[in-house]
Amino acid sequence: MSSELRRLPSVDRVISEGSIRQLAGSFPHDLLVNVIRQHLEEERLAISAGHPCPSVSQIAESVSAKVQVLTSPSLRPVINATGIVLHTNLGRAPLSKESVAAMNTVAGGYSNLEFDIGTGSRGSRHTHIEPVLCQLTGAEAALVVNNNASAVLLGLSTLAKRKEVIVSRGQAVEIGGSFRIPDVMRQSGAKLIEVGTTNCTYIADYEGAITPRTAALMRVHSSNFQVTGFTHSVTLGELVELGQQYDLPVLDDLGSGCFLDTTAFGLGAEPLVQQSVTEGAGMVFFSGDKLVGGPQAGLIVGQKRFFDKLSRNPLARAARIDKIRLAGISATLIHYLKDEATEKVPVWRMLSMPIDEIERRAETWAKALNGMGRVIEGEGMVGGGSLPGSTLPTRLVAVGGQGRRKGRSTAQAISKKLRNQPVPVIGRISEDTLLLDPRSVLPEDDHIVIEALKTIVAAG
Ligand SMILES: *Cc1c(COP(=O)(O)O)cnc(C)c1O
């Protein structure tokens, strides 16, 4: 054994260090011993790799830091100044005050989740949300599960297990985060029949692929990419008509799902859920936390004849939604019923924010930077697999860049300092410039950004 290794202290020796003894009052002895053991093992490996042995007090410091990290919640709020309103890595949709309040109301106690207060007997969790979704979309039936990926899996497994589902080759897509239509199809037990070509699929392609084993025709929203140039795709209406001729349901994976006309906000057109229902899709699948603007959930609406089988599928239980998010998604949907979504749902507040207001806020942010930042024109994105290729004009606070030699390191350094604030502020770096977009920050959080900017300016 090397002399350095022999210098490594014992667990007991580390425990008797002052900084660890201080922790002993707040944390169980066994936890401290475990963390010390694990840390000493890491040190042993480091020493074997040629590093010197740290002092006992250094080791105690490291252990103490590890215990603090381990016992503080790791998931915490950040400010999304990327301009990407639905940023999957930053938790997608922020929730309305009413949704948060509704979640709080049921979180700490018991609720009538599966209890019929009128009769005193067992109820179903779906009764809390089905009427709202049906009213909102015109559908005959609705079901809510864990997320849209599980909603699609559940739908396919219920209708098409050991059967075939026809999808356009241009729609056999990957959404990211390992959601690929061919893989989901395989997992559900359905056989994917791809028709057409990457850019062009015609109704005759679908019709030519129908066999006695066909269970459904499916449309998938391309979500995160666009095919431009010489293209042709079949409308949902055409698919439904073909489905009626052959008595086949049409499944519609809308991805984001949307209740409001996005073109009214200067965005491209995103298909509406109510439109899919009207046009006769058997089942429409969409996310709760994309353009709907609620908590993570998978929403299914459609024709009643499919939903009994859907809710009896064991996968429905495996993918069921919990009471807290059920309360949150209900409250979010109620905003749409009351026609107040653009004022209350943060995603829509952000998307509908007037450019003058964004500019005014960007000026205040830039002012806090005391000459280090400037306001420029730019483009924001919706994100979350909605409106591919569609951008919104915005104003950005730009730091660094401008072709200066030091631009890159300035942008990187400021970006890092902003991430290290008590509430991390996350921007995006483009061409060696750090860009901060007020669109994806709610005005009531501006003070957090301004405080962070002032802090890094003061620190130099
Ligand atoms: C985002 C998306 C999904 C997955 O939805 P999650 O809610 O993230 O599970 C499935 N299909 C499409 C087309 C999507 O855009």
Side-chain angles (χ1 to χ4, degrees):
M1 189 159 74
S2 82
S3 59
E4 278 300 292
L5 269 183
R6 241 172 284 132
R7 284 183 52 214
L8 204 59
S10 67
V11 173
D12 284 344
R13 175 71 190 80
V14 180
I15 282 213
S16 64
E17 271 297 292
S19 59
I20 301 292
R21 279 218 304 273
Q22 268 180 9
L23 295 181
S26 319
F27 300 103
H29 180 76
D30 286 354
L31 175 65
L32 297 180
V33 169
N34 270 343
V35 177
I36 293 171
R37 281 220 176 95
Q38 287 154 6
H39 186 73
L40 288 177
E41 187 50 37
E42 282 169 31
E43 291 293 359
R44 190 163 306 161
L45 291 173
I47 293 167
S48 306
H51 293 273
C53 181
S55 69
V56 183
S57 69
Q58 279 170 330
I59 290 176
E61 294 278 288
S62 306
V63 167
S64 164
K66 276 188 174 158
V67 170
Q68 298 294 355
V69 168
L70 196 58
T71 53
S72 319
S74 159
L75 191 57
R76 60 194 182 113
V78 305
I79 295 287
N80 172 14
T82 63
I84 300 164
V85 173
L86 294 169
H87 198 303
T88 297
N89 301 147
L90 301 183
R92 288 199 187 153
L95 305 183
S96 74
K97 285 188 190 62
E98 290 76 4
S99 300
V100 174
M103 292 167 96
N104 248 320
T105 306
V106 299
Y110 299 101
S111 60
N112 61 336
L113 180 64
E114 291 186 347
F115 182 76
D116 185 326
I117 293 173
T119 62
S121 56
R122 197 198 150 105
S124 154
R125 69 183 60 211
H126 303 297
T127 57
H128 303 292
I129 193 152
E130 191 176 19
V132 180
L133 265 172
C134 290
Q135 186 68 42
L136 205 53
T137 62
E140 296 168 357
L143 186 73
V144 177
V145 291
N146 180 59
N147 61 355
N148 192 33
S150 56
V152 173
L153 185 64
L154 172 64
L156 285 170
S157 139
T158 306
L159 280 195
K161 197 168 192 166
R162 286 189 281 276
K163 299 202 186 112
E164 297 175 353
V165 177
I166 305 174
V167 180
S168 159
R169 185 158 276 122
Q171 296 176 0
V173 297
E174 170 173 327
I175 308 301
S178 70
F179 183 92
R180 290 173 146 197
I181 289 294
D183 296 343
V184 173
M185 198 72 83
R186 194 172 312 115
Q187 190 64 44
S188 74
K191 183 170 180 203
L192 169 67
I193 305 294
E194 281 183 44
V195 296
T197 61
T198 308
N199 56 332
C200 291
T201 305
Y202 302 90
I203 195 71
D205 295 325
Y206 290 89
E207 186 161 18
I210 294 175
T211 73
R213 292 176 306 281
T214 307
L217 310 174
M218 186 173 187
R219 178 176 82 156
V220 182
H221 188 287
S222 63
S223 289
N224 47 10
F225 77 102
Q226 262 181 321
V227 181
T228 55
F230 178 54
T231 65
H232 188 272
S233 57
V234 169
T235 66
L236 184 65
E238 290 173 286
L239 273 188
V240 168
E241 209 183 301
L242 181 65
Q244 279 163 353
Q245 280 172 36
Y246 290 87
D247 196 22
L248 293 171
V250 173
L251 310 181
D252 192 16
D253 177 9
L254 282 181
S256 176
C258 186
F259 299 122
L260 303 181
D261 176 9
T262 43
T263 61
F265 300 87
L267 291 160
E270 178 75 15
L272 300 177
V273 180
Q274 50 275 43
Q275 184 86 28
S276 295
V277 170
T278 310
E279 288 184 5
M283 283 189 207
V284 184
F285 309 92
F286 55 108
S287 292
D289 55 351
K290 292 183 180 174
L291 279 175
V292 169
Q296 180 189 303
L299 290 73
I300 315 175
V301 298
Q303 295 166 350
K304 184 140 189 55
R305 59 193 168 120
F306 304 120
F307 280 69
D308 272 346
K309 214 175 156 203
L310 208 53
S311 52
R312 280 200 313 270
N313 188 326
L315 271 183
R317 170 58 195 268
R320 82 179 177 187
I321 189 167
D322 68 285
K323 62 182 176 184
I324 301 171
R325 286 184 294 133
L326 189 61
I329 192 76
S330 301
T332 303
L333 294 176
I334 288 170
H335 290 312
Y336 291 92
L337 268 191
K338 291 164 78 178
D339 197 19
E340 59 183 25
T342 47
E343 296 99 68
K344 301 272 191 175
V345 177
V347 166
W348 289 99
R349 286 180 61 199
M350 292 169 177
L351 293 178
S352 62
M353 190 167 295
I355 191 82
D356 300 351
E357 190 179 334
I358 296 180
E359 175 148 355
R360 192 181 48 70
R361 293 172 57 212
E363 299 286 357
T364 350
W365 291 14
K367 212 169 116 203
L369 276 168
N370 203 16
M372 271 166 64
R374 59 200 184 279
V375 178
I376 61 169
E377 295 186 0
E379 303 281 333
M381 274 178 301
V382 179
S386 45
L387 295 155
S390 183
T391 58
L392 266 179
T394 190
R395 295 292 180 269
L396 305 163
V397 176
V399 188
Q402 271 188 326
R404 288 187 205 141
R405 206 147 26 100
K406 275 175 52 198
R408 185 193 185 87
S409 53
T410 309
Q412 298 283 3
I414 306 258
S415 162
K416 183 167 182 194
K417 283 180 189 165
L418 283 174
R419 289 200 309 276
N420 283 332
Q421 293 302 304
V423 181
V425 176
I426 316 294
R428 63 188 156 98
I429 290 185
S430 168
E431 292 172 5
D432 298 342
T433 309
L434 171 65
L435 301 172
L436 302 173
D437 189 338
R439 185 184 293 279
S440 51
V441 179
L442 290 172
E444 50 266 40
D445 289 337
D446 271 358
H447 68 278
I448 303 175
V449 179
I450 290 167
E451 190 63 38
L453 295 174
K454 282 185 173 162
T455 306
I456 57 171
V457 169

